Amino acid sequence: MKNEIKYNHSTRQYVADRQNSRIEHRIGINQSKKNLPEILFISSFPPRECGIATYTQDLIIALEDKFKETFAIKVCPIESENERYSYSKQAKYILNIDHPKSFVRLAEIINEDPDIQMVMIQHEFGLFKDKMGDFIQFLNIILKPVSLVFHTVLPNPDPILKSKVIQIVEVCESIVVMTNSSAQILINDYQIEPQKITVIPHGTHLVAHADKTVLREKYGLTNRKILSTFGLLSSGKGIEMTLKALPQIIKKNPDVLFLIIGKTHPNIVKQEGEIYRESLEKLIEDLKLSENVKFINEFLTLPVLLEFLQLTDIYLFTSNNPNQAVSGTFAYAMSCGCAIISTPNPHTREALENGAGVIVEFGDSETLGFEVNNLLKHETLRAKISSKGLHRIAPTAWENSAIAHAQLFDNLLDGKLTLEYKTPLINLNHIHKLTTDFGMIQFSIINQPDIDSGFTLDDNARAMVAMCQHYELTKDAIDLEYIEIYLNFIKFCFQPEGYFLNYVNEYEVFTEQNFQTNLEDSNGRAIWALGYLISMEKIMPYAMIIKAESIFDKATFNVNRINSTRAMSFIIKGLYYKNCNKLYPSEKNHTLLIELSNRLVQMYRHESETNWEWFESYLTYGNSIIPEALLCAWLTTRDFVYLEIAKTAFDFLLTRIFTENQIKVVSNKGWAFKGEEPDNEVIGGEQAIDISYTILALDKFAKVFPEDDYLQKINTAFDWFLGRNHLNQIVYNPCTGGCYDGLEDTYINLNQGAESTVSYLMARMVIEKNNKTKAVIKQPSIERYLEISI
């Protein structure tokens, strides 16, 4: 039959009809301004209601949220003649598997389409029904790289299944599975080469972990102990196992409520109606459980679903499939902090090992009842399981999944992609959450402020700088309230003798730690923060500036007695900021700045030598502030000794912490020492505060030396927060607005304390300010400064 191309005005689609084949081609409505390489996803896709459709949509959203100007994602939904949908503009083609020639025609179109650079296929045997032969032929025709995701990997395959899987794998450049167990099955049972397999866990949503009590009030579930399960309902869910355990549970916990969340799977409804749901309803009636079981017969929106999971005490995953390779419902429950009891399959065994959950055997309702009662009785045990589960599941956040997929795409395309991270929107939620009327709380447990940890001058000083940065750009009046809180805390910590204390407990009382620790650095930070606030006197309330100046003048009276290198550097920065916008700068402050700066010069001259151009015989924490301080001294005095040493030392430091496209700050697990080769084997122990201080220094140097690559290094360093680090995982949580407390060797510390969160915000405000100003004004170069000084 002659090939016809028809244009349908109502649907804005091209319809290619050739020998009963059906491929729909959506015209390029959503073309990028830049001709980006296209990646075509072939999968079921919403509005179709199935797990793989939801998975694919979530992955695409994550990729597009995470990267900019990197690639364009297009979709080819899979459907059948009896199951057709209206799709979003993202659908470029539609594959109707009921027309066998559609496979061949789609392969030909992909080969002919110059924009498509590679194909990713979400594979489940049920998606292709009895069309596996056509599907394998399709794979053989495609000439572009194909990555295929196996959502099911069955062990001990029969010869026919094994042959089909091997044929699929042979013509794909990459195979993705979601668990290590699935990878081992492919290697051991199918003899697939390990190097062809990539494990990328099922993605999970970041959750802000709201208060259970508040959520239960919202949904009318107050004073109930909540058990839940969710997903499209089918007999494979094994929900009757829980129902049979409930009488045993209710005897000890009469206030328990079991939520069965989710409508019946659409395919099941077509095949057998609501037989399974009706059987559950009958069992509930027979066991007299109506007061303790509630059906939520809906396909819930994601925000509502995540709230139901967060208010759950125990999540019950009772699938009766021992070979289930992965479960999105199970993964989502873990990410919401649920204590989980599950039947065993490769995914759950792997995820719940070492105390991250409880495993019970299939159909064992008695043991299930015992374990539920045990967890309901012991809240501490539930919390422990929840914490372990959260740390286990954290690397699977959709943001991290997007990074892993993007790196896979880049490898398959021989490095042709330029992975550019999107800068997250500014989110002050966690900053506000950490701040009481008294000050900023020091630590968090995950993202819940831990008032027992008390307060520190260090955190409140940094917080004041960060909020001043934010206020400078936004003029948000709410910022002034927080700046006032932090300023009052600094005043609270100032002692009549002229110095600051640092540690304050939850009762607003100074602790003994103040008298057991050297507080010079803390005093320096406070002076830096006060100076920074004073530098903004033109836009700040007059009373606030007067208060800050009063504390500053008293605090700097005896600081020349301080010997800490970093404390002196902070003080120099504070003195610079206090004087930088003054019509008549303080001569006393000027003299003090020179005295402290000359000390840094002497330290440099004493320690520096070939291959070690530094102020000390070691590199430890907060290194960037030292050369930045000397640059501030030059900006104040125009003494070129300060400028020369500042730039030489800073450039030396950058050679130790930057590679071509990544930063790795000096680790608290291994300082660097003069005369020793850098230990590149030390991994982990990287802190957000060191990244932030480096970005602040880079920003200052970029203003004096715009022709150097300092601006590019700012972006490289900031990408550390977004996933460009040795774990390829996010350190900043865009959901909460908090920053994780540390990048370790194999994991990330998920606690989002004040130091890390404020450090991220300081760095983020540098990015924001540069983005707003770089197109408006070009910073003067060093030559321009020379003219000014002459």
Side-chain angles (χ1 to χ4, degrees):
M1 182 185 294
K2 182 180 177 181
N3 182 50
E4 292 183 58
I5 301 294
K6 301 176 183 177
Y7 181 61
N8 185 323
H9 288 273
S10 63
T11 59
R12 294 176 64 84
Q13 317 175 344
Y14 286 110
V15 179
D17 192 341
R18 177 183 177 184
Q19 295 179 342
N20 295 321
S21 68
R22 178 174 176 273
I23 299 291
E24 295 182 3
H25 176 208
R26 303 283 178 107
I27 66 172
I29 301 169
N30 195 27
Q31 292 294 323
S32 170
K33 295 178 183 178
K34 185 176 169 183
N35 191 23
L36 298 173
E38 288 185 3
I39 299 169
L40 182 68
F41 276 64
I42 301 177
S43 171
S44 59
F45 200 68
R48 182 171 175 175
E49 294 176 348
C50 79
I52 292 178
T54 302
Y55 171 89
T56 303
Q57 183 182 56
D58 286 341
L59 174 56
I60 291 173
I61 290 171
L63 284 163
E64 293 182 335
D65 284 349
K66 193 66 189 168
F67 296 98
K68 62 180 180 180
E69 300 299 317
T70 298
F71 38 63
I73 304 293
K74 300 297 178 181
V75 181
C76 176
I78 301 168
E79 63 178 28
S80 64
E81 197 62 32
N82 297 325
E83 230 182 331
R84 299 179 63 182
Y85 302 92
S86 177
Y87 298 102
S88 67
K89 297 175 183 179
Q90 208 163 25
K92 187 171 189 177
Y93 305 111
I94 298 173
L95 174 62
N96 187 327
I97 64 170
D98 284 339
H99 296 285
K101 293 297 182 180
S102 290
F103 287 94
V104 174
R105 182 60 183 139
L106 177 59
E108 292 172 348
I109 290 176
I110 290 171
N111 291 338
E112 294 165 5
D113 190 328
D115 296 326
I116 295 175
Q117 299 300 304
M118 66 163 287
V119 177
M120 170 159 266
I121 301 170
Q122 305 297 328
H123 179 275
E124 172 65 65
F125 287 99
L127 281 179
F128 299 98
K129 300 180 180 177
D130 56 351
K131 306 296 191 300
M132 286 307 299
D134 297 312
F135 176 65
I136 292 171
Q137 181 187 17
F138 161 78
L139 291 175
N140 277 281
I141 296 173
I142 293 180
L143 301 177
K144 296 178 180 179
V146 174
S147 178
L148 184 139
V149 183
F150 277 124
H151 285 255
T152 296
V153 180
L154 296 174
N156 307 311
D158 60 38
I160 294 176
L161 175 60
K162 182 173 181 178
S163 174
K164 287 180 180 178
V165 169
I166 290 174
Q167 288 179 68
I168 289 171
V169 172
E170 282 179 346
V171 292
C172 294
E173 280 68 27
S174 160
I175 296 298
V176 175
V177 293
M178 300 187 195
T179 64
N180 293 314
S181 301
S182 293
Q184 286 304 311
I185 291 171
L186 285 178
I187 294 167
N188 298 331
D189 293 8
Y190 295 85
Q191 287 74 57
I192 305 301
E193 297 176 354
Q195 58 268 30
K196 206 167 195 176
I197 303 170
T198 302
V199 178
I200 304 179
H202 193 296
T204 56
H205 296 280
L206 294 172
V207 178
H209 299 288
D211 187 283
K212 285 183 188 292
T213 302
V214 173
L215 290 177
R216 288 177 183 176
E217 288 176 358
K218 176 178 179 178
Y219 291 103
L221 300 173
T222 306
N223 300 322
R224 300 300 295 265
K225 295 172 182 173
I226 305 298
L227 314 178
S228 75
T229 191
F230 91 92
L232 292 171
L233 208 60
S234 69
S235 59
K237 296 291 184 182
I239 291 172
E240 60 275 10
M241 178 179 170
T242 300
L243 296 180
K244 292 175 183 178
L246 273 178
Q248 175 185 350
I249 297 168
I250 294 168
K251 283 182 181 179
K252 293 190 176 182
N253 297 279
D255 54 349
V256 78
L257 180 65
F258 178 39
L259 302 179
I260 303 173
I261 305 169
K263 61 193 296 186
T264 303
H265 198 293
N267 290 344
I268 300 296
V269 173
K270 288 178 182 179
Q271 294 166 15
E272 60 184 45
E274 292 283 7
I275 292 175
Y276 182 61
R277 183 182 296 274
E278 290 166 0
S279 72
L280 296 179
E281 290 172 344
K282 185 176 187 307
L283 184 58
I284 291 168
E285 183 181 352
D286 291 345
L287 296 174
K288 298 180 173 55
L289 301 175
S290 59
E291 296 298 317
N292 300 90
V293 180
K294 181 177 181 180
F295 285 97
I296 301 176
N297 188 12
E298 298 178 51
F299 192 84
L300 298 180
T301 62
L302 180 64
V304 174
L305 172 61
L306 295 179
E307 288 189 337
F308 269 107
L309 291 175
Q310 288 176 78
L311 63 80
T312 294
D313 290 301
I314 304 172
Y315 183 80
L316 303 173
F317 184 75
T318 53
S319 166
N320 53 28
N321 181 0
N323 298 319
Q324 186 168 353
V326 68
S327 167
T329 62
F330 170 83
Y332 285 12
M334 283 192 75
S335 71
C336 287
C338 297
I340 296 179
I341 301 177
S342 173
T343 49
N345 64 47
H347 187 191
T348 61
R349 285 188 185 278
E350 193 171 300
L352 300 183
E353 64 182 359
N354 299 323
V358 178
I359 298 286
V360 297
E361 290 302 318
F362 297 101
D364 190 350
S365 296
E366 183 177 350
T367 301
L368 176 62
F370 172 83
E371 295 293 354
V372 168
N373 282 332
N374 185 50
L375 289 183
L376 289 177
K377 181 179 179 181
H378 298 100
E379 185 176 351
T380 303
L381 179 58
R382 288 204 313 275
K384 185 176 180 181
I385 289 174
S386 171
S387 178
K388 286 188 175 182
L390 284 171
H391 280 83
R392 181 71 50 78
I393 206 72
T396 72
W398 277 117
E399 287 76 3
N400 294 332
S401 181
I403 294 169
H405 279 87
Q407 291 175 333
L408 174 65
F409 301 159
D410 194 35
N411 290 337
L412 292 177
L413 295 174
D414 298 322
K416 293 177 183 176
L417 296 180
T418 301
L419 301 183
E420 293 188 35
Y421 291 84
K422 275 187 181 177
T423 303
L425 297 175
I426 296 169
N427 180 352
L428 300 183
N429 288 349
H430 197 53
I431 294 283
H432 293 167
K433 192 173 182 178
L434 282 165
T435 305
T436 71
D437 292 339
F438 178 64
M440 177 169 279
I441 297 169
Q442 183 175 194
F443 295 139
S444 284
I445 300 173
I446 308 297
N447 70 316
Q448 300 303 313
D450 180 14
I451 187 62
D452 292 342
S453 66
F455 310 82
T456 69
L457 173 66
D458 290 336
D459 292 329
N460 283 269
R462 283 186 289 257
M464 191 166 79
V465 171
M467 292 307 287
C468 284
Q469 289 176 289
H470 189 264
Y471 181 71
E472 181 183 13
L473 294 183
T474 67
K475 304 300 186 294
D476 187 341
I478 295 175
D479 291 347
L480 295 176
E481 299 175 16
Y482 287 88
I483 293 169
E484 184 77 31
I485 290 171
Y486 305 137
L487 177 59
N488 287 337
F489 186 89
I490 292 172
K491 181 180 180 181
F492 175 84
C493 291
F494 187 68
Q495 303 300 295
E497 296 81 3
Y499 60 86
F500 295 92
L501 296 180
N502 186 40
Y503 301 100
V504 183
N505 67 19
E506 67 271 34
Y507 304 110
E508 304 179 13
V509 175
F510 291 111
T511 71
E512 285 300 314
Q513 192 174 357
N514 288 292
F515 310 105
Q516 300 164 358
T517 308
N518 189 318
L519 299 182
E520 290 189 351
D521 286 6
S522 300
N523 278 254
R525 287 187 193 94
I527 291 169
W528 163 47
L530 291 165
Y532 195 91
L533 172 60
I534 294 166
S535 74
M536 298 173 62
E537 60 183 346
K538 292 181 180 179
I539 61 172
M540 287 292 178
Y542 179 73
M544 193 180 290
I545 297 300
I546 292 298
K547 185 187 298 184
E549 286 188 329
S550 173
I551 304 169
F552 187 99
D553 291 342
K554 295 173 184 176
T556 52
F557 188 75
N558 289 318
V559 292
N560 56 357
R561 300 176 184 176
I562 285 177
N563 296 308
S564 162
T565 310
R566 284 150 190 79
M568 289 190 291
S569 300
F570 279 123
I571 294 166
I572 291 168
K573 288 177 62 176
L575 293 165
Y576 159 75
Y577 281 114
K578 182 173 187 292
N579 272 5
C580 66
N581 291 324
K582 295 286 188 183
L583 185 61
Y584 300 104
S586 163
E587 187 62 34
K588 174 191 169 187
N589 290 340
H590 188 82
T591 301
L592 180 57
L593 179 145
I594 292 173
E595 179 183 348
L596 296 177
S597 299
N598 286 342
R599 289 193 202 172
L600 295 184
V601 169
Q602 292 303 315
M603 293 175 68
Y604 177 84
R605 289 172 173 167
H606 182 266
E607 292 294 345
S608 65
E609 56 186 49
T610 304
N611 299 324
W612 189 265
E613 295 166 312
W614 196 243
F615 304 86
E616 300 163 313
S617 61
Y618 44 79
L619 292 169
T620 57
Y621 65 94
N623 299 299
S624 298
I625 63 171
I626 309 174
E628 183 195 359
L630 270 190
L631 186 62
C632 288
W634 178 75
L635 289 169
T636 302
T637 66
R638 295 298 190 264
D639 186 332
F640 281 92
V641 171
Y642 299 151
L643 180 67
E644 179 183 0
I645 293 175
K647 189 173 193 318
T648 301
F650 191 52
D651 288 347
F652 162 74
L653 174 64
L654 297 182
T655 65
R656 303 295 290 253
I657 63 176
F658 275 93
T659 60
E660 182 179 350
N661 64 351
Q662 191 168 307
I663 187 173
K664 180 177 178 292
V665 292
V666 177
S667 167
N668 62 18
K669 291 187 175 180
W671 305 136
F673 294 94
K674 182 166 68 173
E676 296 181 3
E677 290 296 316
D679 188 355
N680 295 322
E681 299 301 317
V682 175
I683 297 176
E686 295 179 61
Q687 307 292 317
I689 191 169
D690 281 307
I691 303 293
S692 181
Y693 283 157
T694 302
I695 288 173
L696 292 175
L698 283 165
D699 186 54
K700 188 73 70 182
F701 275 88
K703 287 177 171 59
V704 179
F705 301 98
E707 67 281 2
D708 286 21
D709 64 347
Y710 296 127
L711 278 175
Q712 179 56 46
K713 281 185 165 62
I714 288 175
N715 294 325
T716 299
F718 188 75
D719 282 351
W720 179 91
F721 292 103
L722 308 183
R724 200 184 297 276
N725 49 60
H726 75 268
L727 289 181
N728 297 310
Q729 294 180 27
I730 56 169
V731 184
Y732 169 70
N733 185 322
C735 174
T736 65
C739 182
Y740 298 136
D741 279 352
L743 178 71
E744 303 301 339
D745 50 354
T746 60
Y747 69 97
I748 287 177
N749 183 336
L750 297 185
N751 295 329
Q752 297 159 48
E755 177 182 293
S756 54
T757 297
V758 170
S759 295
Y760 170 82
L761 182 59
M762 288 193 293
R764 177 65 182 85
M765 296 317 301
V766 169
I767 299 293
E768 189 74 6
K769 187 172 183 178
N770 286 343
N771 287 343
K772 287 189 174 183
T773 60
K774 66 182 178 182
V776 178
I777 184 169
K778 183 177 180 181
Q779 293 292 344
S781 65
I782 182 64
E783 288 77 11
R784 175 63 179 144
Y785 279 114
L786 284 171
E787 293 172 12
I788 294 171
S789 65
I790 291 170

